[in-house]
Amino acid sequence: MGEIQGTEFIRRDDFLPFFRPDLGEAELAAVTDVLRSGWLTYGPKVREFGEACGLYLGVPHAVPVSSASSGLLVALKALGVGPGDEVILPSLTFVATLGAVVHCGARPVLADIDPANLGMAPESFAAAITPRTKAVIPVHLAGHPCRIEEILAIAKAHGIRVLEDAAHAFGAEVRGKRLGGLSDATVFSFYATKCITSGDGGLVTTNDPEVARRVQVLSFHGMDGNAWQRYTDKGRWYYEIVEFGYKMHLGDPAAALGLVQLGRSDEFMARRTEIAHRFSAALAGLPGLVLPTAADWCTHAWHLYAVRVDRDVIDGGRDGVIADLTANRIGSSVHFIPLHYHPVFREAGSEFAPHLGQTERYFDQAVSLPLFPSMTDQEIDDVVTVVRESLRRRCR
Ligand SMILES: Cc1ncc(COP(=O)(O)O)c(C=O)c1O
């Protein structure tokens, strides 16, 4: 990788990044207000943000946390996962999904994807179940819901807990219902590049008040419920540590930013969908190129627009297209290097590194194009022009 040379087709004065957050005056004002208030850490804004997210997603409990990575860890712990347990997750995900399993002391078991939606294939999940399987973490990759209803049915039949990694899918729906309340718990990311952002941040949602309570306690040092109030006029100095937890809560400046972004979530989603449709119309029918689609049973959040480039048809495959995008000052990315390709897995031996055909084929072909709400029409056209020209020149 890396040796393939790209060609410049268009003149761009500036670099089009893979992602540029859309932050306006309202976001600046909200954060400034919090800074002026003098309350810089966990406080009333975090609680307000959690409640507003719960209302938006239609789920009774929504606990803001410092990131989706930390949310996955405390949610898995809250679901009772620990040493001796196995947790099934797709290999096609970010390392955070895996880290949560390993840091619980559980053994990760990797499953393959359904190439139609890039989420875990229910068949592969079912085949990976053993008597030690305690939980499964389906990932809604790129913002397209995975086949969660089938996964839930299999999990229920085997008494397996389900934690959804919806880091990419804030606002996505399955049969008209937003993700967040379908399974035992769901985790969202508010990292800078995600559907909405609080800079860094995440959210754990659940219908189960006990899971919500444990996530709250675990993400706040293991302190009992109202300890955060101890520096307010309503608080008192006394608190109790009820279990060993972590410092993984959100802070008020981030929550204030997240609240404004939450109010813009529908606007962002509409624009991302519009851009995705423009890409799909302009790139349809090109030899060697497979475009992402949305199944009719869901609403795609379009966090990513990942195309597949067939190296049997296109010289250099996706690496050639990436080289041309780079030569034309357009950012791109690959989501993701499968977990079982990483040294930590390779060193763990074949038991941890199964052959996952769909995942490996997808990774060989995938490239994510820039897609974010503040992209201008000119920027969209530039991406289309470069991809089309790259494929035309590289077509064998
Ligand atoms: C699928 C997936 N899960 C979890 C995470 C972790 O999110 P965060 O950066 O909020 O910890 C990411 C981040 O990119 C992700 O892509």
Side-chain angles (χ1 to χ4, degrees), residues 34 39-51 53 62-68 70-71 74 188-192 196-204 215-216 218-221 228 246-260 262:
V34 171
W39 193 274
L40 298 185
T41 179
Y42 186 104
K45 282 287 168 200
V46 176
R47 298 181 83 81
E48 190 184 333
F49 185 41
E51 279 163 23
C53 286
V63 185
V65 284
S66 55
S67 66
S70 47
V74 289
F188 298 93
S189 173
F190 302 134
Y191 177 67
I196 62 167
T197 183
S198 60
D200 263 315
L203 186 77
V204 182
V215 166
Q216 177 72 48
L218 282 167
S219 63
F220 205 95
H221 306 285
W228 69 274
Y246 306 89
K247 183 179 167 67
M248 291 183 167
H249 58 75
L250 202 64
D252 269 23
L257 174 54
L259 270 164
V260 179
L262 177 65

Side-chain angles (χ1 to χ4, degrees), residues 17-24 27 190-199 257 261 264 268 371-375:
F18 177 67
F19 188 88
R20 188 169 57 213
D22 187 336
L23 302 174
E27 281 89 342
F190 302 134
Y191 177 67
T193 61
K194 296 300 193 296
C195 298
I196 62 167
T197 183
S198 60
L257 174 54
Q261 290 264 304
R264 302 178 65 194
F268 287 159
L371 191 166
F372 49 87
S374 68
M375 251 177 123

